[in-house]
Amino acid sequence: MSIILSVKEKLTSFQIIILGFASVIILGTILLMLPFSSKAGVATSFMDALFTSVSAVCVTGLVVVDTASYWSFWGQLVILILIQIGGLGVITVASLVVMLAGRKISLMQRQTMQNAISAPQVGGIVKLTRFIFKISFLVEAIGTLLLLPVFVPKYKLAGVWMSLFHAVSAFCNAGFDLMGNKTGEFSSLTSFSSSGYLTVVIALLIVIGGIGFVTWSDVISRKLVIREYKMQTKVILATTAILIVVPVIIFYFTEFQDIPAKERFWVSLFQAVTPRTAGFNTADFSKMSGTGKGIIMILMLIGGSPGSTAGGMKTTTLAILFANAVAVFGSRPNANFFGRRIEDSIVKNASTILFMYVTCALMSASVMSLVEGLPIGDCLFETFSAIGTVGLTLGITPTLSLLSRIMLVMLMFFGRVGGLTIIYAAFSHKDKSILKYPTENIIVG
């Protein structure tokens, strides 16, 4: 015990976050390998179980076997629990267990919780954690009730389980579905493409989960007095709205021209929302134009917002980079939002995150294209989907070789844990000398 405590004391909060996710993934892999998890009652291969566990914990939705037709009820339950833990955050769930046990939360644990959910400060972190669970279970319960009229009339008692599963999967931005044995393997929600009701319910669950708990806490506490919102809340809400409205308009007028106008609107809306790390789809992405796929990939890379159930490089990262570009164009010294200046260190972090995400996705896609003999565009779609923890696919994931699957597993883990978390975990003990070298100009652009 003393050895464990000694090791724990030497770990930083970022290292604990990474180890926490890795531990849950390993446990999930073991459970999914057991015969009771598959419908056939046979042991699942390590790689298939690992891929599914990583995809669930990292709330991605990429799968190598169809969720509904391959996994038994118990296997699906394991996946749903992994999705819930991954969506809320491993550290957040562990903190709830500690609180329910009546134990005190140490300062180190509070700092870890702060980093895990991207909270602005350590103060009030326990209260925020309670809020996260209350809002999560409330929204998921309401989502389940709203989906009952969709699934129960068609699938009877099984529709209750499907309603719960899809509500949790949508709120946690996971994209796992149970339609495989109803409408065809890997079909997602394509059979509901004309349903405006299902589109709105699932889209709302995705957006609510992807906006972030800190944002919702600010909105609920300040009601509709927008001028009193924190700057980050305003940025997230504005960016989220733009990233939904603009793609809807583009998709409506450039894609899905072979379907009626009303259905085209619902399809356009769903496809504008789901790339923000959700992973469901009501349209065949392989039939979209190159421009449409390009927009989807950009949305997948951006992802949701900090402290949410979503992955990706985050809406705030995009907003900061845009604000910095505007500042450069206007010859201003700093980026700013709503009368507030953004520190240069934050701009540097945003630039680093973009570089890391794009570089990892491009390198992985290049290797995948070489190994699999597939077009680079198709491979980029898969790698952007993985690192953005989205789960959308052009249908090539189940056919990939072992090497490509391993790369996707690494990308999914990277995308959910976060680039900066990995950097801080790896280099937190490095020399932080304040020594500054002499400056010298270098021309760019």
Side-chain angles (χ1 to χ4, degrees):
M1 179 63 72
S2 60
I3 296 177
I4 295 176
L5 292 174
S6 177
V7 172
K8 185 178 179 182
E9 289 176 357
K10 293 180 180 179
L11 294 175
T12 66
S13 59
F14 298 104
Q15 291 168 338
I16 292 173
I17 292 172
I18 291 176
L19 289 175
F21 272 96
S23 299
V24 174
I25 287 171
I26 294 171
L27 178 60
T29 301
I30 294 172
L31 292 175
L32 291 176
M33 288 177 66
L34 299 177
F36 75 84
S37 292
S38 67
K39 281 191 173 180
V42 296
T44 301
S45 69
F46 171 77
M47 194 60 215
D48 286 352
L50 174 65
F51 195 99
T52 304
S53 181
V54 171
S55 185
V57 175
C58 298
V59 289
T60 304
L62 283 175
V63 293
V64 289
V65 293
D66 183 74
T67 307
S69 57
Y70 181 85
W71 302 107
S72 66
F73 168 77
W74 299 109
Q76 293 170 14
L77 180 60
V78 169
I79 291 172
L80 188 65
I81 293 173
L82 294 177
I83 289 172
Q84 187 74 87
I85 294 174
L88 298 181
V90 175
I91 302 301
T92 308
V93 174
S95 301
L96 176 66
V97 174
V98 172
M99 286 187 286
L100 291 177
R103 296 173 59 186
K104 283 190 175 183
I105 307 294
S106 67
L107 178 60
M108 176 61 182
Q109 290 171 328
R110 292 170 189 265
Q111 291 175 336
T112 304
M113 292 161 63
Q114 177 193 7
N115 292 324
I117 61 179
S118 301
Q121 58 190 23
V122 175
I125 196 68
V126 174
K127 182 180 179 181
L128 179 59
T129 301
R130 291 196 185 100
F131 170 80
I132 289 174
F133 281 95
K134 288 179 181 178
I135 196 72
S136 298
F137 295 145
L138 176 62
V139 172
E140 290 172 350
I142 294 173
T144 300
L145 293 175
L146 292 176
L147 289 176
L148 288 175
V150 177
F151 295 112
V152 172
K154 296 186 69 172
Y155 307 115
K156 305 303 185 247
L157 187 59
V160 177
W161 170 241
M162 294 174 69
S163 298
L164 173 62
F165 190 97
H166 288 95
V168 175
S169 183
F171 177 74
C172 291
N173 280 232
F176 279 81
D177 68 271
L178 297 180
M179 300 306 301
N181 57 354
K182 304 291 191 302
T183 57
E185 292 187 351
F186 310 109
S187 58
S188 192
L189 300 176
T190 52
S191 61
F192 296 96
S193 60
S194 61
S195 174
Y197 179 81
L198 179 101
T199 297
V200 171
V201 172
I202 295 293
L204 281 175
L205 287 170
I206 293 170
V207 172
I208 292 171
I211 281 181
F213 298 109
V214 175
T215 302
W216 281 119
S217 177
D218 190 31
V219 170
I220 292 174
S221 64
R222 302 173 193 276
K223 305 298 187 291
L224 296 178
V225 187
I226 298 177
R227 67 177 182 277
E228 294 185 3
Y229 288 176
K230 296 177 182 177
M231 182 263 288
Q232 176 171 297
T233 300
K234 295 178 183 178
V235 171
I236 287 174
L237 294 177
T239 306
T240 298
I242 292 171
L243 291 175
I244 293 175
V245 173
V246 174
V248 167
I249 296 173
I250 295 175
F251 290 156
Y252 185 83
F253 290 104
T254 63
E255 304 288 340
F256 319 120
Q257 299 301 304
D258 58 335
I259 58 179
K262 183 178 179 180
E263 182 180 343
R264 192 193 318 155
F265 171 75
W266 296 123
V267 172
S268 299
L269 173 62
F270 198 90
Q271 267 51 240
V273 172
T274 196
R276 307 283 308 292
T277 87
F280 294 109
N281 64 285
T282 57
D284 187 350
F285 287 104
S286 64
K287 295 180 180 179
M288 293 183 71
S289 67
T291 300
K293 292 177 185 176
I295 294 173
I296 293 291
M297 285 193 285
I298 293 173
L299 293 174
M300 290 194 296
L301 186 67
I302 295 170
S305 301
S308 71
T309 61
M313 69 178 197
K314 303 298 186 292
T315 53
T316 47
T317 302
L318 172 70
I320 288 169
L321 292 173
F322 178 79
N324 187 59
V326 171
V328 173
F329 294 154
S331 299
R332 294 198 299 269
N334 298 101
N336 62 81
F337 289 116
F338 304 104
R340 294 292 186 271
R341 176 171 56 86
I342 306 300
E343 292 287 350
D344 289 340
S345 60
I346 297 177
V347 177
K348 287 167 62 178
N349 286 345
S351 302
T352 302
I353 291 171
L354 176 63
F355 175 79
M356 292 174 66
Y357 272 74
V358 173
T359 300
C360 289
L362 284 174
M363 291 178 63
S364 299
S366 299
V367 175
M368 187 183 297
S369 178
L370 182 65
V371 172
E372 308 293 340
L374 294 169
I376 185 67
D378 291 354
C379 296
L380 276 171
F381 196 96
E382 303 297 310
T383 57
F384 272 56
S385 179
I387 201 169
T389 69
V390 182
L392 297 178
T393 177
L394 296 180
I396 66 174
T397 300
T399 65
L400 296 176
S401 65
L402 178 62
L403 177 60
S404 296
R405 292 186 183 189
I406 291 174
M407 286 193 297
L408 290 181
V409 163
M410 295 173 65
L411 289 174
M412 287 189 287
F413 188 81
F414 177 93
R416 183 64 183 109
V417 173
L420 289 182
T421 298
I422 293 176
I423 290 176
Y424 294 150
F427 301 104
S428 58
H429 297 298
K430 299 297 181 181
D431 180 30
K432 297 180 180 179
S433 173
I434 61 173
L435 173 68
K436 292 184 178 180
Y437 292 100
T439 60
E440 185 172 344
N441 290 333
I442 183 170
I443 299 173
V444 298

